[in-house]
Amino acid sequence: MTKNTSLPEDLDAYFESHLLPSDAALEAADHRSQQVGLVPHAVSPLQGAFLQILAKAVSARRILEIGTLGGYSTIWLARALPADGTLVSLEISEANRAVALENISDAGLSHLVDIRLGAAADLLQAMIASGEPSYDFIFIDADKRSNPIYWESALKLSHKGTMIIVDNVVRNGAILDDETTDPDVIGVQDLLDLMSKSTGITATALQTVGSKGHDGFAIAMVD
Ligand code: DHB
Ligand code: MG
């Protein structure tokens, strides 16, 4: 029999089968997102659990997500919240937002989640200008070319102890190409340059392999 999965994918399946209980709401969210043709850019189940563990580890009561897509990571993160917690998620596409609202409603999490429609850079600027309270956990996972502005905004919406995670900082190593003209790759390179100049944070990056290929997270905590 020909094998058409890679070792990292097989290992993801193995870990999922051992560590993640089957979950109707997450499976339905994944299924609906595929049915309506959303881009397959959601985090993997194991990555979703990783994000949830990190949000719980900082006892997050207020979570900000930049880039909702179909709300798959939103569900993982909202489940880290206490009963009176809040998750604000920013989404530019009305169609994506509609799918996410259904997925979040089916997961029984609507009371915790506020999905705001618009360009995240504008929404963030308004949040900062209006003096919105800071967030305990921030997940940046939208258009990669805007990572620098998302990073700067995230810092402004942070407090000591805020954890900031940025998805997709590896993308098969594309960021090592210093002659790239791809604005999304440049967005990640500029993010890393900004992070290197940011004072008052402890930061790292973790490469990942698995069902999402070779990718990684940048992870920072505000000191
Ligand atoms: C892409 C975006 C993502 O957020 C992701 O997790 C994977 C891929 C993309 O734009 O290609
Ligand atoms: Mg992503």
Side-chain angles (χ1 to χ4, degrees):
M1 204 175 81
T2 29
K3 185 166 163 300
N4 53 18
T5 51
S6 67
L7 180 60
E9 284 173 282
D10 291 346
L11 284 161
D12 258 14
Y14 183 87
F15 289 133
E16 277 179 40
S17 73
H18 285 73
L19 303 176
L20 303 184
S22 72
D23 189 302
L26 285 166
E27 281 154 29
D30 185 38
H31 187 249
R32 177 183 280 123
S33 301
Q34 283 183 40
Q35 285 292 305
V36 302
L38 296 194
V39 288
H41 292 168
V43 298
S44 72
L46 292 162
Q47 290 173 346
F50 175 64
L51 295 172
Q52 184 179 97
I53 288 167
L54 293 177
K56 284 181 179 167
V58 297
S59 302
R61 305 180 65 82
R62 289 176 53 78
I63 295 176
L64 172 62
E65 177 177 65
I66 303 175
T68 316
L69 193 58
Y72 184 81
S73 53
T74 319
I75 293 173
W76 278 105
L77 286 170
R79 287 178 174 169
L81 289 169
D84 61 346
T86 302
L87 189 157
V88 173
S89 190
L90 311 182
E91 176 54 48
I92 195 167
S93 154
E94 199 162 353
N96 290 355
R97 179 175 181 274
V99 176
L101 285 172
E102 282 196 77
N103 287 335
I104 288 156
S105 171
D106 288 357
L109 295 165
S110 302
H111 60 297
L112 297 172
V113 178
D114 172 13
I115 307 182
R116 300 186 187 166
L117 182 66
D122 298 338
L123 295 170
L124 289 162
Q125 193 182 29
M127 289 162 74
I128 294 161
S130 71
E132 196 164 299
S134 57
Y135 289 84
D136 310 308
F137 186 97
I138 301 176
F139 181 47
I140 300 175
D141 189 19
D143 60 305
K144 310 312 169 193
R145 65 194 67 190
S146 303
N147 272 337
I149 184 75
Y150 299 155
W151 170 257
E152 299 277 23
S153 304
L155 285 179
K156 289 181 185 151
L157 291 165
S158 293
H159 55 76
K160 181 177 160 62
T162 295
M163 184 176 288
I164 306 173
I165 311 287
V166 188
D167 196 21
N168 311 114
V169 298
V170 173
R171 303 281 284 278
N172 276 312
I175 59 167
L176 294 183
D177 178 3
D178 53 18
E179 282 166 16
T180 185
T181 54
D182 179 337
D184 290 319
V185 176
I186 293 169
V188 180
Q189 293 170 332
D190 289 349
L191 163 77
L192 270 291
D193 287 342
L194 273 179
M195 288 179 76
S196 77
K197 291 184 194 119
S198 296
T199 55
I201 61 162
T202 303
T204 189
L206 276 187
Q207 300 185 56
T208 54
V209 293
S211 60
K212 294 280 153 180
H214 180 197
D215 215 321
F217 296 104
I219 301 177
M221 181 165 271
V222 178
D223 297 328

